[in-house]
Amino acid sequence: MTGTAPAPFTADDYRTRMDRAARQAAGAGLAGLLVAPGPDLVWLTGYTPTAATERLTLLVLAPGREPVLVVPTLEAPDAERAPGAPAITLRDWTDGRDPYALTAALLDTDGLPPGPPGAPGALLGISDNAWAMHLLGLQKALPGTSYASLTEALPMLRAVKDTAELELMAAAGAAADTAFEEIRKVPFAGRRETDVAADLAALLRRTGHSQVDFTIVASGPNGANPHHENGDRVIERGDMVVLDFGGLKDGYGSDTSRTVHVGEPTDEERRVHDLVREAQEAGFRAVRPGAACQDVDRAARAVITDAGYGEYFIHRTGHGIGVTTHEPPYMIEGEEQPLVPGMCFSVEPGVYLPGRFGVRIEDIVTVTEDGGRRLNNTVREMVTVD
């Protein structure tokens, strides 16, 4: 797949993100943020260590202070080349020194605001994928502090995408759409699920994906398992086949599902597929600024429940997506987070009939100023394959 390479994010882009994160942290009552290697660090700085090891790497963000990246000396040259490095002060440490003491000195807990009532000392946010040994080391170096995961404390940190991010999300969605159009042309009948999944992964890479996160090919009764692991089952004529696939293109995620049929479907199969398509459309129509995340789930679920299949819709209606393929917000009952323009998430209702077949239809949707926009645009009606 050819096309113009997207413009890289600049140091100013990363500086803006770190400033926003520090402000959100202060608004959430956090004295600071501690960000370990992983998607949060990539989004905030553009830096990915060559390998996550027992040596501490940690971005320290505190309101009113310059961002500091604590990094092992032997990895400092790589960190200095990160696109966000000009917006960060590097503090390297060598083997034999205590990186936790170095981090503690940067935070100066005596000057940090106290945590909420009932919390011991200052409350710090820490990225979910920080190693336990690093958290324990920080607790020892910063006695009296308490910690909250970033997903819990700042669930919307990465949720609202800017214009450049939305362009990347749209490009990833379009690439996944191209992969679906191509996979429709390959033989299904007589081949194993793993064979079709390998074709699908190759198509994602051909359309520009640098990372393939999943290529679910769930045929016949396997389609009743939403997270089916591809196996050696040979796909047969008469099978319904759920295709769910995605990954990262230029650092941003794709994720789409379509359900195809090998040969002509039965009346029941077509009826269930039409029901899921109607539910997916209802979920999409519920997307608008100010609506709660749970409203999307309610709209899609009501269609399936009213048709008598409610017990067979066994998962949430959607999940956020960005620099990872699953992240907040979640379209699920009880999630009252209001939708905001720039949020991106899936709308993916399904019906799963144990021992028989399943149907799922999924698009990534972004919230606009007056509604929603689909980032996947392949046909949602029943598609037959050979």
Side-chain angles (χ1 to χ4, degrees):
M1 184 176 182
T2 60
T4 304
F9 294 117
T10 67
D12 285 341
D13 293 325
Y14 292 110
R15 182 179 289 107
T16 297
R17 292 178 185 180
M18 288 186 283
D19 288 346
R20 188 171 90 189
R23 289 195 305 272
Q24 288 189 16
L30 300 177
L33 299 179
L34 305 171
V35 185
D40 291 313
L41 186 63
V42 172
W43 184 77
L44 288 164
T45 69
Y47 176 51
T48 303
T50 53
T53 71
E54 73 283 359
R55 293 185 174 93
L56 181 72
T57 295
L58 205 66
L59 175 68
V60 180
L61 297 177
R65 304 186 186 194
E66 290 297 313
V68 178
L69 181 63
V70 177
V71 61
T73 300
L74 76 169
E75 295 178 14
D78 288 339
E80 290 170 349
R81 289 192 289 270
I88 303 168
T89 298
L90 291 181
R91 291 284 184 268
D92 64 310
W93 61 277
T94 57
D95 289 347
R97 291 186 62 196
D98 183 353
Y100 307 111
L102 172 60
T103 304
L106 294 171
L107 285 165
D108 182 21
T109 54
D110 290 339
L112 293 178
L123 178 64
L124 297 165
I126 188 164
S127 50
D128 295 33
N129 54 333
W131 286 21
M133 65 178 288
H134 295 324
L135 176 56
L136 293 171
L138 291 165
Q139 289 177 318
K140 184 177 180 180
L142 295 165
T145 54
S146 56
Y147 297 82
S149 75
L150 287 195
T151 293
E152 175 186 352
L154 298 178
M156 296 297 107
L157 178 61
R158 305 193 315 255
V160 179
K161 277 64 177 177
D162 61 25
T163 300
E165 290 181 294
L166 289 173
E167 290 177 357
L168 291 170
M169 290 293 303
D177 283 357
T178 298
F180 175 69
E181 295 295 350
E182 291 300 315
I183 201 68
R184 291 173 56 179
K185 302 173 185 177
V186 309
F188 277 67
R191 302 178 68 212
R192 297 173 301 175
E193 292 175 338
T194 50
D195 297 330
V196 177
D199 288 344
L200 197 45
L203 286 168
L204 286 172
R205 293 190 178 93
R206 193 181 306 164
T207 59
H209 284 70
S210 60
Q211 177 177 314
V212 176
D213 288 342
F214 47 88
T215 52
I216 296 174
V217 178
S219 63
N222 291 339
N225 177 2
H227 283 173
H228 170 65
E229 293 188 9
N230 304 321
D232 289 334
R233 183 182 186 278
V234 176
I235 301 170
E236 302 174 356
R237 293 195 66 80
D239 279 348
M240 196 83 91
V241 184
V242 179
L243 304 173
D244 184 356
F245 52 97
L248 297 182
K249 180 182 185 296
D250 296 317
Y252 281 78
S254 69
D255 184 2
T256 187
S257 298
R258 293 292 187 264
T259 303
V260 301
H261 198 276
V262 186
E264 286 302 311
T266 65
D267 290 344
E268 182 191 21
E269 289 169 332
R270 191 176 293 279
R271 184 172 65 251
V272 173
H273 190 281
D274 287 346
L275 173 65
V276 174
R277 179 168 57 85
E278 182 183 348
Q280 208 268 348
E281 177 65 25
F284 171 69
R285 289 199 306 266
V287 176
R288 63 186 182 279
C293 290
Q294 67 181 3
D295 293 341
V296 178
D297 182 83
R298 288 174 175 177
R301 197 169 299 276
V303 173
I304 292 173
T305 299
D306 290 349
Y309 287 87
E311 65 181 295
Y312 303 113
F313 181 8
I314 56 178
H315 55 71
R316 64 197 175 202
T317 294
H319 58 82
I321 185 171
V323 294
T324 59
T325 48
H326 281 213
E327 62 187 43
Y330 298 102
M331 308 301 113
I332 189 171
E333 180 65 32
E335 179 52 79
E336 298 179 350
Q337 167 67 43
L339 300 182
V340 176
M343 282 184 178
C344 296
F345 49 84
S346 65
V347 178
E348 51 175 308
V351 168
Y352 308 93
L353 303 178
R356 301 183 62 204
F357 65 88
V359 177
R360 182 164 63 258
I361 300 173
E362 174 186 15
D363 293 329
I364 299 302
V365 173
T366 184
V367 184
T368 64
E369 295 295 333
D370 57 1
R373 176 169 67 98
R374 298 180 192 268
L375 301 186
N376 295 107
N377 294 288
T378 53
V379 62
R380 296 171 196 89
E381 288 76 19
M382 173 75 76
V383 167
T384 58
V385 295
D386 293 331

